[in-house]
Amino acid sequence: MRLDGIWPHVWTVAGAIVFVLGVFAFTTGRLGVGLICMIGCVVCLSGSLAAQRRLKKRRPRSR
């Protein structure tokens, strides 16, 4: 069983969790932590896009 198809979802969930943590940090007044979390969210979502592209290249289209 190949787990390649799950990585885009893992990256997306990680990005969502980091985003929620960042919003919580902003609302509690911790601007530095919030900014770091927002940067982490962007990194996670770009990892998700990269994993989706890799998966798309690996799977040929079926006709």
Side-chain angles (χ1 to χ4, degrees):
M1 180 175 154
R2 294 181 60 117
L3 296 176
D4 292 339
I6 199 169
W7 286 113
H9 303 294
V10 170
W11 279 109
T12 304
V13 169
I17 290 170
V18 171
F19 178 78
V20 169
L21 288 174
V23 169
F24 179 74
F26 276 132
T27 58
T28 56
R30 299 174 190 265
L31 298 179
V33 175
L35 187 61
I36 290 171
C37 286
M38 290 301 150
I39 292 170
C41 175
V42 171
V43 168
C44 287
L45 294 180
S46 67
S48 173
L49 288 175
Q52 287 176 6
R53 279 192 217 112
R54 261 186 268 122
L55 188 63
K56 194 179 215 180
K57 285 181 183 178
R58 201 171 289 161
R59 287 186 186 167
R61 288 187 178 176
S62 59
R63 294 183 183 192

